[in-house]
Amino acid sequence: MATVLENYYGLRGEVNKRIAQGNVPADAIWWHGEIMYRISVLETCQMFCKTAPITMEVKVLQGHYKMLDAYVQCLALERRYGPNRGPDTQKERDAAQNNLGRVIADYRKRFSSFAPSTQESYSNEIGKVVQTLLPAWLQYRNTFVPLKKKEKEASAS
């Protein structure tokens, strides 16, 4: 079963083929930009997981955490544009943003007094944060640029 990131690589390939053929409607350009953005975010989150320090030195952990947290805070605020999809568009966006905000607030609360019990504690917890954060973030992104329909179309072809 393909991962979300692998699916996005496939979608990017499909759109790149259309671009190479020179017949690209505006919506394909919009989706391509969103796919590239999501790939970048997923790869960056992977990098944060892979580089999570294996140590109990709080200063080292804090440095890594501050970078991750700053990145996540930006994710919650950037690229807040997309086509209006009907009368409930804003309600969907608000609900998804509230959900994402709760996920962020939860991990921030947990890490405000984080004390590692083992060398791997921080790394394990950061992995859990990313696994919880990304579905909420993807739900939020889909309220701006929904890619689910395009993923189904790409897998059907």
Side-chain angles (χ1 to χ4, degrees), residues 111-136:
F111 277 91
S112 67
S113 60
F114 182 77
S117 58
T118 68
Q119 297 279 328
E120 295 83 16
S121 294
Y122 175 79
S123 179
N124 292 337
E125 288 303 312
I126 287 300
K128 291 175 187 174
V129 165
V130 169
Q131 286 180 342
T132 304
L133 172 76
L134 287 177

Short mmCIF file of all heavy atoms in Angstrom, two decimals, residues 111-136:
data_model
loop_
_atom_site.label_atom_id
_atom_site.label_comp_id
_atom_site.label_asym_id
_atom_site.label_seq_id
_atom_site.Cartn_x
_atom_site.Cartn_y
_atom_site.Cartn_z
N PHE A 111 5.01 19.08 25.48
CA PHE A 111 6.44 19.37 25.44
C PHE A 111 6.85 20.54 26.33
O PHE A 111 8.04 20.78 26.51
CB PHE A 111 6.90 19.59 24.00
CG PHE A 111 7.18 18.30 23.28
CD1 PHE A 111 6.18 17.68 22.56
CD2 PHE A 111 8.42 17.70 23.36
CE1 PHE A 111 6.42 16.47 21.91
CE2 PHE A 111 8.67 16.50 22.72
CZ PHE A 111 7.67 15.88 21.99
N SER A 112 5.90 21.25 26.91
CA SER A 112 6.26 22.37 27.77
C SER A 112 6.98 21.91 29.03
O SER A 112 7.76 22.66 29.61
CB SER A 112 5.01 23.19 28.14
OG SER A 112 4.15 22.42 28.97
N SER A 113 6.74 20.69 29.42
CA SER A 113 7.43 20.15 30.60
C SER A 113 8.03 18.78 30.29
O SER A 113 8.10 17.92 31.16
CB SER A 113 6.44 20.03 31.77
OG SER A 113 5.37 19.17 31.42
N PHE A 114 8.47 18.60 29.06
CA PHE A 114 9.01 17.30 28.64
C PHE A 114 10.31 16.99 29.37
O PHE A 114 11.23 17.80 29.44
CB PHE A 114 9.25 17.29 27.13
CG PHE A 114 9.75 15.98 26.62
CD1 PHE A 114 8.88 14.92 26.46
CD2 PHE A 114 11.09 15.80 26.30
CE1 PHE A 114 9.33 13.69 25.98
CE2 PHE A 114 11.54 14.59 25.82
CZ PHE A 114 10.66 13.53 25.66
N ALA A 115 10.35 15.80 29.92
CA ALA A 115 11.56 15.30 30.57
C ALA A 115 11.78 13.88 30.06
O ALA A 115 11.00 12.99 30.36
CB ALA A 115 11.41 15.30 32.08
N PRO A 116 12.84 13.67 29.28
CA PRO A 116 13.06 12.35 28.70
C PRO A 116 13.36 11.31 29.77
O PRO A 116 14.10 11.57 30.71
CB PRO A 116 14.26 12.56 27.78
CG PRO A 116 14.96 13.75 28.32
CD PRO A 116 13.91 14.61 28.94
N SER A 117 12.79 10.14 29.60
CA SER A 117 13.05 9.06 30.54
C SER A 117 14.11 8.10 30.00
O SER A 117 14.75 7.39 30.77
CB SER A 117 11.76 8.29 30.85
OG SER A 117 11.21 7.78 29.65
N THR A 118 14.31 8.12 28.68
CA THR A 118 15.35 7.31 28.05
C THR A 118 15.99 8.13 26.93
O THR A 118 15.46 9.20 26.55
CB THR A 118 14.79 6.01 27.43
OG1 THR A 118 13.96 6.36 26.30
CG2 THR A 118 14.00 5.19 28.44
N GLN A 119 17.07 7.64 26.39
CA GLN A 119 17.74 8.32 25.27
C GLN A 119 16.81 8.50 24.07
O GLN A 119 16.89 9.49 23.37
CB GLN A 119 18.97 7.50 24.82
CG GLN A 119 20.05 7.35 25.86
CD GLN A 119 20.96 8.56 25.94
OE1 GLN A 119 21.20 9.23 24.95
NE2 GLN A 119 21.45 8.85 27.13
N GLU A 120 15.91 7.54 23.86
CA GLU A 120 15.03 7.55 22.68
C GLU A 120 13.69 8.24 22.93
O GLU A 120 12.89 8.36 22.00
CB GLU A 120 14.77 6.11 22.20
CG GLU A 120 16.00 5.40 21.70
CD GLU A 120 16.84 4.76 22.81
OE1 GLU A 120 16.32 4.63 23.94
OE2 GLU A 120 18.00 4.45 22.56
N SER A 121 13.42 8.66 24.14
CA SER A 121 12.10 9.23 24.48
C SER A 121 11.70 10.36 23.56
O SER A 121 10.58 10.39 23.03
CB SER A 121 12.08 9.73 25.92
OG SER A 121 12.20 8.68 26.83
N TYR A 122 12.59 11.32 23.38
CA TYR A 122 12.26 12.48 22.56
C TYR A 122 11.99 12.07 21.12
O TYR A 122 10.99 12.49 20.52
CB TYR A 122 13.39 13.51 22.62
CG TYR A 122 13.16 14.69 21.70
CD1 TYR A 122 12.30 15.72 22.06
CD2 TYR A 122 13.80 14.76 20.47
CE1 TYR A 122 12.08 16.79 21.21
CE2 TYR A 122 13.59 15.83 19.62
CZ TYR A 122 12.74 16.84 19.99
OH TYR A 122 12.51 17.90 19.14
N SER A 123 12.85 11.27 20.56
CA SER A 123 12.69 10.81 19.19
C SER A 123 11.35 10.10 19.00
O SER A 123 10.62 10.36 18.02
CB SER A 123 13.84 9.88 18.81
OG SER A 123 13.69 9.40 17.50
N ASN A 124 11.01 9.24 19.93
CA ASN A 124 9.73 8.52 19.85
C ASN A 124 8.55 9.48 19.93
O ASN A 124 7.57 9.35 19.18
CB ASN A 124 9.63 7.48 20.96
CG ASN A 124 10.61 6.34 20.77
OD1 ASN A 124 11.07 6.07 19.67
ND2 ASN A 124 10.95 5.67 21.86
N GLU A 125 8.63 10.44 20.83
CA GLU A 125 7.53 11.39 21.00
C GLU A 125 7.38 12.32 19.79
O GLU A 125 6.27 12.64 19.39
CB GLU A 125 7.70 12.21 22.28
CG GLU A 125 7.46 11.42 23.54
CD GLU A 125 6.08 10.78 23.58
OE1 GLU A 125 5.08 11.47 23.32
OE2 GLU A 125 6.00 9.56 23.87
N ILE A 126 8.49 12.73 19.20
CA ILE A 126 8.42 13.57 18.00
C ILE A 126 7.78 12.78 16.86
O ILE A 126 6.97 13.31 16.10
CB ILE A 126 9.82 14.10 17.60
CG1 ILE A 126 10.25 15.18 18.58
CG2 ILE A 126 9.86 14.61 16.16
CD1 ILE A 126 9.34 16.40 18.65
N GLY A 127 8.10 11.51 16.75
CA GLY A 127 7.45 10.67 15.74
C GLY A 127 5.95 10.63 15.94
O GLY A 127 5.18 10.72 14.98
N LYS A 128 5.51 10.51 17.18
CA LYS A 128 4.07 10.51 17.47
C LYS A 128 3.44 11.85 17.15
O LYS A 128 2.32 11.91 16.63
CB LYS A 128 3.83 10.16 18.95
CG LYS A 128 4.16 8.73 19.29
CD LYS A 128 4.01 8.49 20.79
CE LYS A 128 4.50 7.12 21.19
NZ LYS A 128 4.50 6.92 22.65
N VAL A 129 4.14 12.93 17.44
CA VAL A 129 3.63 14.27 17.13
C VAL A 129 3.40 14.39 15.63
O VAL A 129 2.33 14.83 15.18
CB VAL A 129 4.60 15.38 17.61
CG1 VAL A 129 4.29 16.72 16.98
CG2 VAL A 129 4.56 15.49 19.13
N VAL A 130 4.38 14.01 14.85
CA VAL A 130 4.27 14.12 13.39
C VAL A 130 3.15 13.22 12.86
O VAL A 130 2.37 13.64 12.00
CB VAL A 130 5.63 13.81 12.72
CG1 VAL A 130 5.49 13.66 11.22
CG2 VAL A 130 6.63 14.91 13.06
N GLN A 131 3.03 12.02 13.41
CA GLN A 131 1.96 11.11 12.96
C GLN A 131 0.57 11.63 13.31
O GLN A 131 -0.40 11.31 12.63
CB GLN A 131 2.15 9.72 13.58
CG GLN A 131 3.27 8.95 12.96
CD GLN A 131 3.43 7.58 13.61
OE1 GLN A 131 2.96 7.32 14.70
NE2 GLN A 131 4.11 6.69 12.90
N THR A 132 0.46 12.42 14.35
CA THR A 132 -0.82 13.00 14.73
C THR A 132 -1.07 14.30 13.98
O THR A 132 -2.19 14.59 13.56
CB THR A 132 -0.85 13.27 16.26
OG1 THR A 132 -0.57 12.04 16.93
CG2 THR A 132 -2.19 13.80 16.70
N LEU A 133 -0.02 15.07 13.81
CA LEU A 133 -0.13 16.38 13.17
C LEU A 133 -0.47 16.28 11.68
O LEU A 133 -1.35 17.01 11.19
CB LEU A 133 1.19 17.13 13.34
CG LEU A 133 1.32 18.44 12.57
CD1 LEU A 133 0.52 19.52 13.28
CD2 LEU A 133 2.78 18.83 12.42
N LEU A 134 0.22 15.41 10.96
CA LEU A 134 0.07 15.39 9.50
C LEU A 134 -1.35 15.09 9.01
O LEU A 134 -1.83 15.77 8.10
CB LEU A 134 1.09 14.46 8.85
CG LEU A 134 2.52 15.00 8.87
CD1 LEU A 134 3.48 13.99 8.27
CD2 LEU A 134 2.61 16.33 8.14
N PRO A 135 -2.07 14.13 9.58
CA PRO A 135 -3.45 13.94 9.12
C PRO A 135 -4.33 15.18 9.34
O PRO A 135 -5.14 15.53 8.48
CB PRO A 135 -3.96 12.75 9.94
CG PRO A 135 -2.73 12.00 10.31
CD PRO A 135 -1.66 13.05 10.50
N ALA A 136 -4.14 15.85 10.47
CA ALA A 136 -4.91 17.07 10.73
C ALA A 136 -4.52 18.17 9.76
O ALA A 136 -5.37 18.90 9.26
CB ALA A 136 -4.70 17.53 12.18
#
